[in-house]
Amino acid sequence: MLITTTTKELKKALKTSTKIGFVPTMGALHQGHLSLIEKSKDDNDLTVCSIFVNPTQFNNPIDFEKYPKSIENDIYLLEKMDCDIVFIPTIKTVYPKGLTKKEYDFKGLDVVMEGKFRPGHFDGVAEVVLRFFDLIKPQKAYFGEKDFQQLQIIRLITRQFKPSIQIIGMPTLRESSGLAMSSRNKRLNEEELIQASFIYKIVQNIKQKNLDDFQKMTFLIENEFSKTKMELEYVSVCEEATLQEAKYRKLNEKYRIFIAVFLNSVRLIDNFEV
Ligand code: AMP
């Protein structure tokens, strides 16, 4: 496995490859990330994983500073997966002209949820992903449904700016407790991990009621969260395609419940098909 921090070395290593799969990450890798690597390995001749904690997508400097890092273990896991290249650039390499951020038109996909509560977040995500696409020129790139709004936004900007790249969405991997795997879980202690598993448990419980009235559904979920130690930032049922909030179920339309919570200072997100 080539481990490189420079674009020169990266480009040289990519020169002869025809089918390149790309998995962008922020490190602190877990099985969820590795499932994307595995899929890319199956689909392509060469897999590139990037590890880069992108400052421009953090609107909270403490969140950026405290983002978990475990680079040695990440490299160990990627070696074990037989990943071909891991690209670990510095901030200066990704942003040689400084931390500038463009504003993108996400056609309304960003006005809700993460876009609403983390202003500018998706501009930062789009910028860094497009920079990596330019550099790596993959045929396919892999993203998790864990960040479903991000996945839809990446699909949109790829159609707009890099139509030859295929975006592959992959299902969310969960702990046996139901908690979605996340690098941020590394910041939770044992008691908090139990608390956090209630995100899954509460939603599964309410989903069983098969409600078509989504306002009622979110009301019931809010009520359940008020009994926990988690602070609910938002719960919203949205159409998958447009991410617009939906009040009632319509025939032939796909929906997801989206949730963001704070557990002490750690912010967790998740989403579920309904
Ligand atoms: P991150 O390092 O958090 O930026 O995530 C890198 C990629 O892994 C993103 O496309 C995420 O959506 C995906 N990912 C994160 N957690 C999971 C998970 N539990 N299951 C599947 N994919 C995930």
Side-chain angles (χ1 to χ4, degrees):
M1 182 172 79
L2 172 71
I3 303 165
T4 182
T5 58
T6 69
T7 54
K8 198 174 159 194
E9 215 174 1
L10 175 70
K11 280 185 182 165
K12 198 173 149 208
L14 292 172
K15 239 181 191 167
T16 52
S17 293
T18 46
K19 267 172 91 180
I20 301 171
F22 174 45
V23 180
T25 80
M26 298 204 294
L29 301 182
H30 49 67
Q31 284 303 321
H33 295 116
L34 300 185
S35 70
L36 309 190
I37 303 278
E38 195 177 12
K39 176 77 172 122
S40 172
K41 293 267 320 163
D42 284 349
D43 292 353
N44 303 285
D45 298 334
L46 186 135
T47 291
V48 183
C49 173
S50 63
I51 298 181
F52 180 64
V53 184
N54 175 33
T56 66
Q57 71 188 68
F58 284 81
N59 51 334
N60 177 348
I62 296 169
D63 192 25
F64 175 61
E65 230 169 80
K66 293 213 165 157
Y67 197 82
K69 288 169 195 74
S70 57
I71 199 74
E72 275 167 26
N73 191 52
D74 292 351
I75 289 171
Y76 168 77
L77 293 172
L78 291 171
E79 289 264 21
K80 244 180 36 179
M81 293 295 297
D82 213 8
C83 180
D84 300 286
I85 300 178
V86 52
F87 180 47
I88 314 174
T90 62
I91 292 176
K92 186 101 184 111
T93 299
V94 180
Y95 298 101
K97 292 184 184 147
L99 291 181
T100 51
K101 198 156 69 172
K102 271 186 250 162
E103 275 185 28
Y104 290 85
D105 178 4
F106 299 121
K107 312 277 179 217
L109 290 174
D110 60 326
V111 296
V112 288
M113 304 181 294
E114 293 306 282
K116 182 172 163 193
F117 287 91
R118 301 180 70 186
H121 167 66
F122 288 120
D123 289 321
V125 171
E127 183 70 23
V128 77
V129 167
L130 290 173
R131 279 176 193 235
F132 282 147
F133 282 180
D134 268 336
L135 206 59
I136 294 163
K137 301 189 172 41
Q139 276 67 48
K140 293 183 179 167
Y142 298 80
F143 293 84
E145 289 179 352
K146 159 78 168 47
D147 303 282
F148 194 84
Q149 190 174 14
Q150 169 176 283
L151 172 62
Q152 295 297 58
I153 283 177
I154 300 283
R155 283 188 167 130
L156 174 77
I157 58 164
T158 306
R159 277 199 304 274
Q160 285 175 340
F161 300 110
K162 300 277 165 202
S164 65
I165 300 178
Q166 197 183 335
I167 302 300
I168 316 282
M170 295 290 290
T172 302
L173 258 66
R174 298 179 179 280
E175 306 288 353
S176 53
S177 67
L179 175 63
M181 289 181 184
S182 163
S183 303
R184 287 189 167 87
N185 296 352
K186 295 196 166 81
R187 292 182 57 201
L188 302 176
N189 64 31
E190 227 172 282
E191 166 58 28
E192 288 168 333
L193 284 169
I194 296 171
Q195 281 291 317
S197 70
F198 279 95
I199 301 171
Y200 177 82
K201 293 184 174 105
I202 289 171
V203 172
Q204 293 312 309
N205 241 337
I206 305 291
K207 259 177 64 169
Q208 276 179 10
K209 297 183 192 291
N210 280 325
L211 297 170
D212 289 335
D213 178 343
F214 295 143
Q215 278 176 316
K216 184 159 184 200
M217 188 184 271
T218 54
F219 173 77
L220 291 176
I221 291 174
E222 279 165 3
N223 192 38
E224 288 305 308
F225 270 96
S226 69
K227 299 175 199 163
T228 72
K229 289 186 182 144
M230 287 179 279
E231 190 193 318
L232 188 62
E233 188 172 52
Y234 63 75
V235 52
S236 191
V237 179
C238 298
E239 278 181 21
E240 278 197 3
T242 62
L243 297 182
Q244 296 313 297
E245 192 155 20
K247 291 184 176 151
Y248 294 95
R249 190 190 298 275
K250 281 189 240 156
L251 266 179
N252 302 324
E253 204 57 73
K254 282 187 171 177
Y255 300 93
R256 274 178 190 255
I257 304 174
F258 294 85
I259 285 183
V261 303
F262 277 98
L263 184 48
N264 299 325
S265 63
V266 182
R267 188 172 182 277
L268 302 171
I269 61 168
D270 205 343
N271 67 85
F272 305 84
E273 285 178 43
V274 265

